Each structure stands twice: as structure tokens, then as C-alpha cells.
Amino acid sequence: MVIDALKGFDEEVPRWDIALAALVEEEAGKLGRGLRIAEFRRLADDHAIRFDDIMVTMFELVINKEWRYEDPDGLEKMISRDEVEKLYVGGRLAEADVNAYVGLWLPA
């Protein structure tokens, strides 16, 4: 029945915003490289999107190995869900804490 058809449905639904994921992937393709915080801010401004919504999507993409994050030294850094949860203040990402991720965000 309907309930049986929905079993496992949540497992298939991405935890990130697929439209934002497409936007950042397109931007990385246009630039021919990974993205930095400044590019995410510009995309947010250009498209009237909340910066923290883009960053939530980016963290989810990294956690789910769709993207990867390299620190400023070029070393890949794993990002855990616990690490991201600590960045939340009042239900939103704290921008000052997100600013620590000044490395390169790259499609996997």
C-alpha cells in the first residue's frame, strides 16, 4: 500500500537543496575550479539567496561526499555532522564560524 511504497523514501531524498547544489556546481564549472567563501557570498547576493542556506547545502554535500573541502594548505578535510551542528546559532549557521572555512570547495 501507500505506506509500503514510502518505506525507504527518506533515504533517497537528499539532505541538501538540489537547486543550490546545481547553482554551485554550475559556478564551479564556469570558473573551472573549486569555490571559496567569497564566491558563495557573491552567489547569495547575485541570486538573493541566504548565504547560510548555500553553506548548509555545501556542508551537506561534503558530509555526503558529493563535494570535498580542502583547507588553505590544500589538504582534504573531512567535515562531520557534529562539526556542522556546532556552527548553528538560533537555528542558523553562525557566519563568523563559517568564515573559518576559507579553503577550497570542490565537486567530488
Side-chain angles (χ1 to χ4, degrees), residues 59-84:
F59 283 118
E60 285 297 333
L61 289 168
V62 170
I63 289 168
N64 288 280
K65 298 179 178 25
E66 298 289 323
W67 278 62
R68 67 183 200 277
Y69 173 74
E70 292 180 357
D71 68 17
D73 295 324
L75 301 172
E76 186 170 355
K77 180 184 182 300
M78 303 305 289
I79 297 174
S80 70
R81 185 156 314 283
D82 287 340
E83 183 178 346
V84 174

mmCIF file with all atom_site columns, all heavy atoms in Angstrom, residues 59-84:
data_model
loop_
_atom_site.group_PDB
_atom_site.id
_atom_site.type_symbol
_atom_site.label_atom_id
_atom_site.label_alt_id
_atom_site.label_comp_id
_atom_site.label_asym_id
_atom_site.label_entity_id
_atom_site.label_seq_id
_atom_site.pdbx_PDB_ins_code
_atom_site.Cartn_x
_atom_site.Cartn_y
_atom_site.Cartn_z
_atom_site.occupancy
_atom_site.B_iso_or_equiv
_atom_site.pdbx_formal_charge
_atom_site.auth_seq_id
_atom_site.auth_comp_id
_atom_site.auth_asym_id
_atom_site.auth_atom_id
_atom_site.pdbx_PDB_model_num
ATOM 1   N N   . PHE A 1 59 ? 27.923 22.135 3.234  1.00 0.00 ? 59 PHE A N   1
ATOM 2   C CA  . PHE A 1 59 ? 28.313 21.205 4.287  1.00 0.00 ? 59 PHE A CA  1
ATOM 3   C C   . PHE A 1 59 ? 27.676 19.837 4.063  1.00 0.00 ? 59 PHE A C   1
ATOM 4   O O   . PHE A 1 59 ? 28.328 18.804 4.210  1.00 0.00 ? 59 PHE A O   1
ATOM 5   C CB  . PHE A 1 59 ? 27.957 21.752 5.670  1.00 0.00 ? 59 PHE A CB  1
ATOM 6   C CG  . PHE A 1 59 ? 28.895 22.816 6.148  1.00 0.00 ? 59 PHE A CG  1
ATOM 7   C CD1 . PHE A 1 59 ? 28.450 24.104 6.407  1.00 0.00 ? 59 PHE A CD1 1
ATOM 8   C CD2 . PHE A 1 59 ? 30.240 22.538 6.360  1.00 0.00 ? 59 PHE A CD2 1
ATOM 9   C CE1 . PHE A 1 59 ? 29.309 25.088 6.866  1.00 0.00 ? 59 PHE A CE1 1
ATOM 10  C CE2 . PHE A 1 59 ? 31.123 23.518 6.820  1.00 0.00 ? 59 PHE A CE2 1
ATOM 11  C CZ  . PHE A 1 59 ? 30.645 24.794 7.064  1.00 0.00 ? 59 PHE A CZ  1
ATOM 12  N N   . GLU A 1 60 ? 26.403 19.825 3.698  1.00 0.00 ? 60 GLU A N   1
ATOM 13  C CA  . GLU A 1 60 ? 25.733 18.550 3.438  1.00 0.00 ? 60 GLU A CA  1
ATOM 14  C C   . GLU A 1 60 ? 26.373 17.818 2.260  1.00 0.00 ? 60 GLU A C   1
ATOM 15  O O   . GLU A 1 60 ? 26.536 16.596 2.292  1.00 0.00 ? 60 GLU A O   1
ATOM 16  C CB  . GLU A 1 60 ? 24.240 18.757 3.174  1.00 0.00 ? 60 GLU A CB  1
ATOM 17  C CG  . GLU A 1 60 ? 23.437 19.045 4.403  1.00 0.00 ? 60 GLU A CG  1
ATOM 18  C CD  . GLU A 1 60 ? 23.427 17.916 5.427  1.00 0.00 ? 60 GLU A CD  1
ATOM 19  O OE1 . GLU A 1 60 ? 23.587 16.736 5.043  1.00 0.00 ? 60 GLU A OE1 1
ATOM 20  O OE2 . GLU A 1 60 ? 23.271 18.211 6.624  1.00 0.00 ? 60 GLU A OE2 1
ATOM 21  N N   . LEU A 1 61 ? 26.737 18.560 1.223  1.00 0.00 ? 61 LEU A N   1
ATOM 22  C CA  . LEU A 1 61 ? 27.385 17.935 0.070  1.00 0.00 ? 61 LEU A CA  1
ATOM 23  C C   . LEU A 1 61 ? 28.724 17.309 0.465  1.00 0.00 ? 61 LEU A C   1
ATOM 24  O O   . LEU A 1 61 ? 29.062 16.211 -0.005 1.00 0.00 ? 61 LEU A O   1
ATOM 25  C CB  . LEU A 1 61 ? 27.568 18.953 -1.055 1.00 0.00 ? 61 LEU A CB  1
ATOM 26  C CG  . LEU A 1 61 ? 26.283 19.378 -1.770 1.00 0.00 ? 61 LEU A CG  1
ATOM 27  C CD1 . LEU A 1 61 ? 26.533 20.597 -2.646 1.00 0.00 ? 61 LEU A CD1 1
ATOM 28  C CD2 . LEU A 1 61 ? 25.701 18.237 -2.578 1.00 0.00 ? 61 LEU A CD2 1
ATOM 29  N N   . VAL A 1 62 ? 29.470 17.982 1.320  1.00 0.00 ? 62 VAL A N   1
ATOM 30  C CA  . VAL A 1 62 ? 30.756 17.434 1.771  1.00 0.00 ? 62 VAL A CA  1
ATOM 31  C C   . VAL A 1 62 ? 30.529 16.223 2.676  1.00 0.00 ? 62 VAL A C   1
ATOM 32  O O   . VAL A 1 62 ? 31.175 15.185 2.506  1.00 0.00 ? 62 VAL A O   1
ATOM 33  C CB  . VAL A 1 62 ? 31.608 18.510 2.482  1.00 0.00 ? 62 VAL A CB  1
ATOM 34  C CG1 . VAL A 1 62 ? 32.828 17.892 3.154  1.00 0.00 ? 62 VAL A CG1 1
ATOM 35  C CG2 . VAL A 1 62 ? 32.037 19.581 1.486  1.00 0.00 ? 62 VAL A CG2 1
ATOM 36  N N   . ILE A 1 63 ? 29.603 16.330 3.614  1.00 0.00 ? 63 ILE A N   1
ATOM 37  C CA  . ILE A 1 63 ? 29.314 15.215 4.517  1.00 0.00 ? 63 ILE A CA  1
ATOM 38  C C   . ILE A 1 63 ? 28.917 13.975 3.716  1.00 0.00 ? 63 ILE A C   1
ATOM 39  O O   . ILE A 1 63 ? 29.307 12.858 4.044  1.00 0.00 ? 63 ILE A O   1
ATOM 40  C CB  . ILE A 1 63 ? 28.211 15.603 5.530  1.00 0.00 ? 63 ILE A CB  1
ATOM 41  C CG1 . ILE A 1 63 ? 28.760 16.616 6.539  1.00 0.00 ? 63 ILE A CG1 1
ATOM 42  C CG2 . ILE A 1 63 ? 27.649 14.373 6.236  1.00 0.00 ? 63 ILE A CG2 1
ATOM 43  C CD1 . ILE A 1 63 ? 27.699 17.274 7.399  1.00 0.00 ? 63 ILE A CD1 1
ATOM 44  N N   . ASN A 1 64 ? 28.169 14.196 2.640  1.00 0.00 ? 64 ASN A N   1
ATOM 45  C CA  . ASN A 1 64 ? 27.680 13.087 1.818  1.00 0.00 ? 64 ASN A CA  1
ATOM 46  C C   . ASN A 1 64 ? 28.601 12.741 0.651  1.00 0.00 ? 64 ASN A C   1
ATOM 47  O O   . ASN A 1 64 ? 28.226 12.006 -0.255 1.00 0.00 ? 64 ASN A O   1
ATOM 48  C CB  . ASN A 1 64 ? 26.264 13.400 1.327  1.00 0.00 ? 64 ASN A CB  1
ATOM 49  C CG  . ASN A 1 64 ? 25.267 13.306 2.443  1.00 0.00 ? 64 ASN A CG  1
ATOM 50  O OD1 . ASN A 1 64 ? 24.841 12.223 2.802  1.00 0.00 ? 64 ASN A OD1 1
ATOM 51  N ND2 . ASN A 1 64 ? 24.923 14.438 3.036  1.00 0.00 ? 64 ASN A ND2 1
ATOM 52  N N   . LYS A 1 65 ? 29.802 13.323 0.679  1.00 0.00 ? 65 LYS A N   1
ATOM 53  C CA  . LYS A 1 65 ? 30.861 13.022 -0.287 1.00 0.00 ? 65 LYS A CA  1
ATOM 54  C C   . LYS A 1 65 ? 30.492 13.336 -1.741 1.00 0.00 ? 65 LYS A C   1
ATOM 55  O O   . LYS A 1 65 ? 31.012 12.737 -2.672 1.00 0.00 ? 65 LYS A O   1
ATOM 56  C CB  . LYS A 1 65 ? 31.316 11.569 -0.146 1.00 0.00 ? 65 LYS A CB  1
ATOM 57  C CG  . LYS A 1 65 ? 31.915 11.288 1.222  1.00 0.00 ? 65 LYS A CG  1
ATOM 58  C CD  . LYS A 1 65 ? 32.327 9.853  1.348  1.00 0.00 ? 65 LYS A CD  1
ATOM 59  C CE  . LYS A 1 65 ? 32.980 9.490  2.638  1.00 0.00 ? 65 LYS A CE  1
ATOM 60  N NZ  . LYS A 1 65 ? 32.787 10.157 3.829  1.00 0.00 ? 65 LYS A NZ  1
ATOM 61  N N   . GLU A 1 66 ? 29.595 14.301 -1.921 1.00 0.00 ? 66 GLU A N   1
ATOM 62  C CA  . GLU A 1 66 ? 29.282 14.801 -3.256 1.00 0.00 ? 66 GLU A CA  1
ATOM 63  C C   . GLU A 1 66 ? 30.282 15.891 -3.650 1.00 0.00 ? 66 GLU A C   1
ATOM 64  O O   . GLU A 1 66 ? 30.520 16.127 -4.827 1.00 0.00 ? 66 GLU A O   1
ATOM 65  C CB  . GLU A 1 66 ? 27.859 15.364 -3.304 1.00 0.00 ? 66 GLU A CB  1
ATOM 66  C CG  . GLU A 1 66 ? 26.777 14.347 -3.012 1.00 0.00 ? 66 GLU A CG  1
ATOM 67  C CD  . GLU A 1 66 ? 26.605 13.339 -4.121 1.00 0.00 ? 66 GLU A CD  1
ATOM 68  O OE1 . GLU A 1 66 ? 26.733 13.713 -5.309 1.00 0.00 ? 66 GLU A OE1 1
ATOM 69  O OE2 . GLU A 1 66 ? 26.353 12.157 -3.802 1.00 0.00 ? 66 GLU A OE2 1
ATOM 70  N N   . TRP A 1 67 ? 30.797 16.598 -2.656 1.00 0.00 ? 67 TRP A N   1
ATOM 71  C CA  . TRP A 1 67 ? 31.840 17.612 -2.795 1.00 0.00 ? 67 TRP A CA  1
ATOM 72  C C   . TRP A 1 67 ? 32.910 17.286 -1.765 1.00 0.00 ? 67 TRP A C   1
ATOM 73  O O   . TRP A 1 67 ? 32.699 16.444 -0.883 1.00 0.00 ? 67 TRP A O   1
ATOM 74  C CB  . TRP A 1 67 ? 31.275 19.017 -2.530 1.00 0.00 ? 67 TRP A CB  1
ATOM 75  C CG  . TRP A 1 67 ? 30.568 19.638 -3.694 1.00 0.00 ? 67 TRP A CG  1
ATOM 76  C CD1 . TRP A 1 67 ? 29.436 19.151 -4.307 1.00 0.00 ? 67 TRP A CD1 1
ATOM 77  C CD2 . TRP A 1 67 ? 30.906 20.832 -4.376 1.00 0.00 ? 67 TRP A CD2 1
ATOM 78  N NE1 . TRP A 1 67 ? 29.062 19.981 -5.320 1.00 0.00 ? 67 TRP A NE1 1
ATOM 79  C CE2 . TRP A 1 67 ? 29.950 21.033 -5.394 1.00 0.00 ? 67 TRP A CE2 1
ATOM 80  C CE3 . TRP A 1 67 ? 31.918 21.767 -4.229 1.00 0.00 ? 67 TRP A CE3 1
ATOM 81  C CZ2 . TRP A 1 67 ? 29.981 22.120 -6.255 1.00 0.00 ? 67 TRP A CZ2 1
ATOM 82  C CZ3 . TRP A 1 67 ? 31.949 22.865 -5.085 1.00 0.00 ? 67 TRP A CZ3 1
ATOM 83  C CH2 . TRP A 1 67 ? 30.988 23.021 -6.086 1.00 0.00 ? 67 TRP A CH2 1
ATOM 84  N N   . ARG A 1 68 ? 34.049 17.972 -1.872 1.00 0.00 ? 68 ARG A N   1
ATOM 85  C CA  . ARG A 1 68 ? 35.087 17.838 -0.847 1.00 0.00 ? 68 ARG A CA  1
ATOM 86  C C   . ARG A 1 68 ? 35.584 19.232 -0.482 1.00 0.00 ? 68 ARG A C   1
ATOM 87  O O   . ARG A 1 68 ? 35.417 20.172 -1.249 1.00 0.00 ? 68 ARG A O   1
ATOM 88  C CB  . ARG A 1 68 ? 36.210 16.922 -1.310 1.00 0.00 ? 68 ARG A CB  1
ATOM 89  C CG  . ARG A 1 68 ? 37.036 17.415 -2.434 1.00 0.00 ? 68 ARG A CG  1
ATOM 90  C CD  . ARG A 1 68 ? 38.081 16.352 -2.837 1.00 0.00 ? 68 ARG A CD  1
ATOM 91  N NE  . ARG A 1 68 ? 39.154 16.954 -3.574 1.00 0.00 ? 68 ARG A NE  1
ATOM 92  C CZ  . ARG A 1 68 ? 39.142 17.216 -4.869 1.00 0.00 ? 68 ARG A CZ  1
ATOM 93  N NH1 . ARG A 1 68 ? 38.083 16.917 -5.586 1.00 0.00 ? 68 ARG A NH1 1
ATOM 94  N NH2 . ARG A 1 68 ? 40.169 17.777 -5.454 1.00 0.00 ? 68 ARG A NH2 1
ATOM 95  N N   . TYR A 1 69 ? 36.162 19.304 0.693  1.00 0.00 ? 69 TYR A N   1
ATOM 96  C CA  . TYR A 1 69 ? 36.695 20.570 1.182  1.00 0.00 ? 69 TYR A CA  1
ATOM 97  C C   . TYR A 1 69 ? 38.182 20.412 1.414  1.00 0.00 ? 69 TYR A C   1
ATOM 98  O O   . TYR A 1 69 ? 38.619 19.451 2.050  1.00 0.00 ? 69 TYR A O   1
ATOM 99  C CB  . TYR A 1 69 ? 35.996 20.998 2.476  1.00 0.00 ? 69 TYR A CB  1
ATOM 100 C CG  . TYR A 1 69 ? 36.625 22.216 3.092  1.00 0.00 ? 69 TYR A CG  1
ATOM 101 C CD1 . TYR A 1 69 ? 36.426 23.469 2.530  1.00 0.00 ? 69 TYR A CD1 1
ATOM 102 C CD2 . TYR A 1 69 ? 37.458 22.118 4.198  1.00 0.00 ? 69 TYR A CD2 1
ATOM 103 C CE1 . TYR A 1 69 ? 37.039 24.597 3.076  1.00 0.00 ? 69 TYR A CE1 1
ATOM 104 C CE2 . TYR A 1 69 ? 38.069 23.234 4.743  1.00 0.00 ? 69 TYR A CE2 1
ATOM 105 C CZ  . TYR A 1 69 ? 37.853 24.465 4.171  1.00 0.00 ? 69 TYR A CZ  1
ATOM 106 O OH  . TYR A 1 69 ? 38.458 25.572 4.691  1.00 0.00 ? 69 TYR A OH  1
ATOM 107 N N   . GLU A 1 70 ? 38.967 21.348 0.879  1.00 0.00 ? 70 GLU A N   1
ATOM 108 C CA  . GLU A 1 70 ? 40.408 21.374 1.113  1.00 0.00 ? 70 GLU A CA  1
ATOM 109 C C   . GLU A 1 70 ? 40.731 22.599 1.939  1.00 0.00 ? 70 GLU A C   1
ATOM 110 O O   . GLU A 1 70 ? 40.291 23.707 1.621  1.00 0.00 ? 70 GLU A O   1
ATOM 111 C CB  . GLU A 1 70 ? 41.175 21.444 -0.212 1.00 0.00 ? 70 GLU A CB  1
ATOM 112 C CG  . GLU A 1 70 ? 41.074 20.192 -1.039 1.00 0.00 ? 70 GLU A CG  1
ATOM 113 C CD  . GLU A 1 70 ? 41.846 20.282 -2.346 1.00 0.00 ? 70 GLU A CD  1
ATOM 114 O OE1 . GLU A 1 70 ? 42.427 21.348 -2.651 1.00 0.00 ? 70 GLU A OE1 1
ATOM 115 O OE2 . GLU A 1 70 ? 41.857 19.274 -3.071 1.00 0.00 ? 70 GLU A OE2 1
ATOM 116 N N   . ASP A 1 71 ? 41.528 22.415 2.988  1.00 0.00 ? 71 ASP A N   1
ATOM 117 C CA  . ASP A 1 71 ? 41.919 23.542 3.825  1.00 0.00 ? 71 ASP A CA  1
ATOM 118 C C   . ASP A 1 71 ? 42.869 24.452 3.038  1.00 0.00 ? 71 ASP A C   1
ATOM 119 O O   . ASP A 1 71 ? 43.260 24.121 1.914  1.00 0.00 ? 71 ASP A O   1
ATOM 120 C CB  . ASP A 1 71 ? 42.521 23.060 5.150  1.00 0.00 ? 71 ASP A CB  1
ATOM 121 C CG  . ASP A 1 71 ? 43.861 22.367 5.013  1.00 0.00 ? 71 ASP A CG  1
ATOM 122 O OD1 . ASP A 1 71 ? 44.527 22.507 3.962  1.00 0.00 ? 71 ASP A OD1 1
ATOM 123 O OD2 . ASP A 1 71 ? 44.251 21.686 5.969  1.00 0.00 ? 71 ASP A OD2 1
ATOM 124 N N   . PRO A 1 72 ? 43.223 25.603 3.587  1.00 0.00 ? 72 PRO A N   1
ATOM 125 C CA  . PRO A 1 72 ? 44.090 26.543 2.854  1.00 0.00 ? 72 PRO A CA  1
ATOM 126 C C   . PRO A 1 72 ? 45.436 25.961 2.417  1.00 0.00 ? 72 PRO A C   1
ATOM 127 O O   . PRO A 1 72 ? 46.055 26.459 1.487  1.00 0.00 ? 72 PRO A O   1
ATOM 128 C CB  . PRO A 1 72 ? 44.286 27.697 3.841  1.00 0.00 ? 72 PRO A CB  1
ATOM 129 C CG  . PRO A 1 72 ? 43.067 27.656 4.699  1.00 0.00 ? 72 PRO A CG  1
ATOM 130 C CD  . PRO A 1 72 ? 42.744 26.190 4.840  1.00 0.00 ? 72 PRO A CD  1
ATOM 131 N N   . ASP A 1 73 ? 45.871 24.873 3.068  1.00 0.00 ? 73 ASP A N   1
ATOM 132 C CA  . ASP A 1 73 ? 47.123 24.229 2.677  1.00 0.00 ? 73 ASP A CA  1
ATOM 133 C C   . ASP A 1 73 ? 46.922 23.199 1.564  1.00 0.00 ? 73 ASP A C   1
ATOM 134 O O   . ASP A 1 73 ? 47.877 22.531 1.158  1.00 0.00 ? 73 ASP A O   1
ATOM 135 C CB  . ASP A 1 73 ? 47.774 23.550 3.891  1.00 0.00 ? 73 ASP A CB  1
ATOM 136 C CG  . ASP A 1 73 ? 48.198 24.557 4.945  1.00 0.00 ? 73 ASP A CG  1
ATOM 137 O OD1 . ASP A 1 73 ? 48.643 25.662 4.570  1.00 0.00 ? 73 ASP A OD1 1
ATOM 138 O OD2 . ASP A 1 73 ? 48.062 24.249 6.145  1.00 0.00 ? 73 ASP A OD2 1
ATOM 139 N N   . GLY A 1 74 ? 45.686 23.050 1.099  1.00 0.00 ? 74 GLY A N   1
ATOM 140 C CA  . GLY A 1 74 ? 45.399 22.100 0.028  1.00 0.00 ? 74 GLY A CA  1
ATOM 141 C C   . GLY A 1 74 ? 45.173 20.678 0.498  1.00 0.00 ? 74 GLY A C   1
ATOM 142 O O   . GLY A 1 74 ? 45.106 19.753 -0.314 1.00 0.00 ? 74 GLY A O   1
ATOM 143 N N   . LEU A 1 75 ? 45.014 20.491 1.804  1.00 0.00 ? 75 LEU A N   1
ATOM 144 C CA  . LEU A 1 75 ? 44.768 19.158 2.353  1.00 0.00 ? 75 LEU A CA  1
ATOM 145 C C   . LEU A 1 75 ? 43.271 18.925 2.499  1.00 0.00 ? 75 LEU A C   1
ATOM 146 O O   . LEU A 1 75 ? 42.560 19.785 3.032  1.00 0.00 ? 75 LEU A O   1
ATOM 147 C CB  . LEU A 1 75 ? 45.443 19.003 3.717  1.00 0.00 ? 75 LEU A CB  1
ATOM 148 C CG  . LEU A 1 75 ? 46.964 19.204 3.730  1.00 0.00 ? 75 LEU A CG  1
ATOM 149 C CD1 . LEU A 1 75 ? 47.483 19.207 5.153  1.00 0.00 ? 75 LEU A CD1 1
ATOM 150 C CD2 . LEU A 1 75 ? 47.641 18.133 2.896  1.00 0.00 ? 75 LEU A CD2 1
ATOM 151 N N   . GLU A 1 76 ? 42.801 17.785 2.017  1.00 0.00 ? 76 GLU A N   1
ATOM 152 C CA  . GLU A 1 76 ? 41.382 17.485 2.150  1.00 0.00 ? 76 GLU A CA  1
ATOM 153 C C   . GLU A 1 76 ? 41.025 17.350 3.624  1.00 0.00 ? 76 GLU A C   1
ATOM 154 O O   . GLU A 1 76 ? 41.741 16.713 4.400  1.00 0.00 ? 76 GLU A O   1
ATOM 155 C CB  . GLU A 1 76 ? 41.021 16.206 1.411  1.00 0.00 ? 76 GLU A CB  1
ATOM 156 C CG  . GLU A 1 76 ? 39.533 15.944 1.417  1.00 0.00 ? 76 GLU A CG  1
ATOM 157 C CD  . GLU A 1 76 ? 39.106 14.820 0.499  1.00 0.00 ? 76 GLU A CD  1
ATOM 158 O OE1 . GLU A 1 76 ? 39.949 14.281 -0.242 1.00 0.00 ? 76 GLU A OE1 1
ATOM 159 O OE2 . GLU A 1 76 ? 37.915 14.492 0.524  1.00 0.00 ? 76 GLU A OE2 1
ATOM 160 N N   . LYS A 1 77 ? 39.942 17.982 4.017  1.00 0.00 ? 77 LYS A N   1
ATOM 161 C CA  . LYS A 1 77 ? 39.485 17.951 5.406  1.00 0.00 ? 77 LYS A CA  1
ATOM 162 C C   . LYS A 1 77 ? 38.080 17.379 5.429  1.00 0.00 ? 77 LYS A C   1
ATOM 163 O O   . LYS A 1 77 ? 37.199 17.877 4.736  1.00 0.00 ? 77 LYS A O   1
ATOM 164 C CB  . LYS A 1 77 ? 39.485 19.359 5.998  1.00 0.00 ? 77 LYS A CB  1
ATOM 165 C CG  . LYS A 1 77 ? 39.025 19.396 7.439  1.00 0.00 ? 77 LYS A CG  1
ATOM 166 C CD  . LYS A 1 77 ? 38.963 20.821 7.935  1.00 0.00 ? 77 LYS A CD  1
ATOM 167 C CE  . LYS A 1 77 ? 38.565 20.925 9.376  1.00 0.00 ? 77 LYS A CE  1
ATOM 168 N NZ  . LYS A 1 77 ? 37.279 20.379 9.713  1.00 0.00 ? 77 LYS A NZ  1
ATOM 169 N N   . MET A 1 78 ? 37.908 16.326 6.168  1.00 0.00 ? 78 MET A N   1
ATOM 170 C CA  . MET A 1 78 ? 36.578 15.757 6.343  1.00 0.00 ? 78 MET A CA  1
ATOM 171 C C   . MET A 1 78 ? 35.778 16.687 7.256  1.00 0.00 ? 78 MET A C   1
ATOM 172 O O   . MET A 1 78 ? 36.331 17.278 8.184  1.00 0.00 ? 78 MET A O   1
ATOM 173 C CB  . MET A 1 78 ? 36.658 14.359 6.962  1.00 0.00 ? 78 MET A CB  1
ATOM 174 C CG  . MET A 1 78 ? 37.520 13.381 6.164  1.00 0.00 ? 78 MET A CG  1
ATOM 175 S SD  . MET A 1 78 ? 37.040 13.207 4.425  1.00 0.00 ? 78 MET A SD  1
ATOM 176 C CE  . MET A 1 78 ? 35.521 12.332 4.596  1.00 0.00 ? 78 MET A CE  1
ATOM 177 N N   . ILE A 1 79 ? 34.509 16.813 6.990  1.00 0.00 ? 79 ILE A N   1
ATOM 178 C CA  . ILE A 1 79 ? 33.623 17.622 7.817  1.00 0.00 ? 79 ILE A CA  1
ATOM 179 C C   . ILE A 1 79 ? 32.532 16.694 8.333  1.00 0.00 ? 79 ILE A C   1
ATOM 180 O O   . ILE A 1 79 ? 31.863 16.020 7.547  1.00 0.00 ? 79 ILE A O   1
ATOM 181 C CB  . ILE A 1 79 ? 33.028 18.798 7.015  1.00 0.00 ? 79 ILE A CB  1
ATOM 182 C CG1 . ILE A 1 79 ? 34.147 19.733 6.550  1.00 0.00 ? 79 ILE A CG1 1
ATOM 183 C CG2 . ILE A 1 79 ? 31.997 19.549 7.852  1.00 0.00 ? 79 ILE A CG2 1
ATOM 184 C CD1 . ILE A 1 79 ? 33.681 20.851 5.630  1.00 0.00 ? 79 ILE A CD1 1
ATOM 185 N N   . SER A 1 80 ? 32.352 16.670 9.644  1.00 0.00 ? 80 SER A N   1
ATOM 186 C CA  . SER A 1 80 ? 31.356 15.781 10.243 1.00 0.00 ? 80 SER A CA  1
ATOM 187 C C   . SER A 1 80 ? 30.068 16.547 10.545 1.00 0.00 ? 80 SER A C   1
ATOM 188 O O   . SER A 1 80 ? 30.067 17.777 10.655 1.00 0.00 ? 80 SER A O   1
ATOM 189 C CB  . SER A 1 80 ? 31.901 15.178 11.534 1.00 0.00 ? 80 SER A CB  1
ATOM 190 O OG  . SER A 1 80 ? 31.999 16.171 12.532 1.00 0.00 ? 80 SER A OG  1
ATOM 191 N N   . ARG A 1 81 ? 29.011 15.800 10.708 1.00 0.00 ? 81 ARG A N   1
ATOM 192 C CA  . ARG A 1 81 ? 27.729 16.401 11.069 1.00 0.00 ? 81 ARG A CA  1
ATOM 193 C C   . ARG A 1 81 ? 27.849 17.094 12.435 1.00 0.00 ? 81 ARG A C   1
ATOM 194 O O   . ARG A 1 81 ? 27.319 18.188 12.624 1.00 0.00 ? 81 ARG A O   1
ATOM 195 C CB  . ARG A 1 81 ? 26.637 15.337 11.099 1.00 0.00 ? 81 ARG A CB  1
ATOM 196 C CG  . ARG A 1 81 ? 25.279 15.955 11.356 1.00 0.00 ? 81 ARG A CG  1
ATOM 197 C CD  . ARG A 1 81 ? 24.124 15.145 10.868 1.00 0.00 ? 81 ARG A CD  1
ATOM 198 N NE  . ARG A 1 81 ? 24.232 14.607 9.546  1.00 0.00 ? 81 ARG A NE  1
ATOM 199 C CZ  . ARG A 1 81 ? 24.071 15.285 8.399  1.00 0.00 ? 81 ARG A CZ  1
ATOM 200 N NH1 . ARG A 1 81 ? 23.815 16.579 8.443  1.00 0.00 ? 81 ARG A NH1 1
ATOM 201 N NH2 . ARG A 1 81 ? 24.155 14.701 7.236  1.00 0.00 ? 81 ARG A NH2 1
ATOM 202 N N   . ASP A 1 82 ? 28.563 16.482 13.373 1.00 0.00 ? 82 ASP A N   1
ATOM 203 C CA  . ASP A 1 82 ? 28.742 17.101 14.699 1.00 0.00 ? 82 ASP A CA  1
ATOM 204 C C   . ASP A 1 82 ? 29.435 18.452 14.575 1.00 0.00 ? 82 ASP A C   1
ATOM 205 O O   . ASP A 1 82 ? 29.068 19.413 15.255 1.00 0.00 ? 82 ASP A O   1
ATOM 206 C CB  . ASP A 1 82 ? 29.561 16.196 15.619 1.00 0.00 ? 82 ASP A CB  1
ATOM 207 C CG  . ASP A 1 82 ? 28.771 14.987 16.095 1.00 0.00 ? 82 ASP A CG  1
ATOM 208 O OD1 . ASP A 1 82 ? 27.527 15.019 16.042 1.00 0.00 ? 82 ASP A OD1 1
ATOM 209 O OD2 . ASP A 1 82 ? 29.413 14.012 16.527 1.00 0.00 ? 82 ASP A OD2 1
ATOM 210 N N   . GLU A 1 83 ? 30.432 18.520 13.714 1.00 0.00 ? 83 GLU A N   1
ATOM 211 C CA  . GLU A 1 83 ? 31.156 19.772 13.498 1.00 0.00 ? 83 GLU A CA  1
ATOM 212 C C   . GLU A 1 83 ? 30.212 20.854 12.985 1.00 0.00 ? 83 GLU A C   1
ATOM 213 O O   . GLU A 1 83 ? 30.245 22.000 13.436 1.00 0.00 ? 83 GLU A O   1
ATOM 214 C CB  . GLU A 1 83 ? 32.277 19.519 12.482 1.00 0.00 ? 83 GLU A CB  1
ATOM 215 C CG  . GLU A 1 83 ? 33.166 20.674 12.191 1.00 0.00 ? 83 GLU A CG  1
ATOM 216 C CD  . GLU A 1 83 ? 34.282 20.303 11.210 1.00 0.00 ? 83 GLU A CD  1
ATOM 217 O OE1 . GLU A 1 83 ? 34.539 19.109 10.959 1.00 0.00 ? 83 GLU A OE1 1
ATOM 218 O OE2 . GLU A 1 83 ? 34.897 21.244 10.699 1.00 0.00 ? 83 GLU A OE2 1
ATOM 219 N N   . VAL A 1 84 ? 29.351 20.490 12.056 1.00 0.00 ? 84 VAL A N   1
ATOM 220 C CA  . VAL A 1 84 ? 28.409 21.458 11.482 1.00 0.00 ? 84 VAL A CA  1
ATOM 221 C C   . VAL A 1 84 ? 27.366 21.869 12.510 1.00 0.00 ? 84 VAL A C   1
ATOM 222 O O   . VAL A 1 84 ? 27.014 23.048 12.611 1.00 0.00 ? 84 VAL A O   1
ATOM 223 C CB  . VAL A 1 84 ? 27.746 20.882 10.208 1.00 0.00 ? 84 VAL A CB  1
ATOM 224 C CG1 . VAL A 1 84 ? 26.657 21.809 9.683  1.00 0.00 ? 84 VAL A CG1 1
ATOM 225 C CG2 . VAL A 1 84 ? 28.796 20.627 9.130  1.00 0.00 ? 84 VAL A CG2 1
#
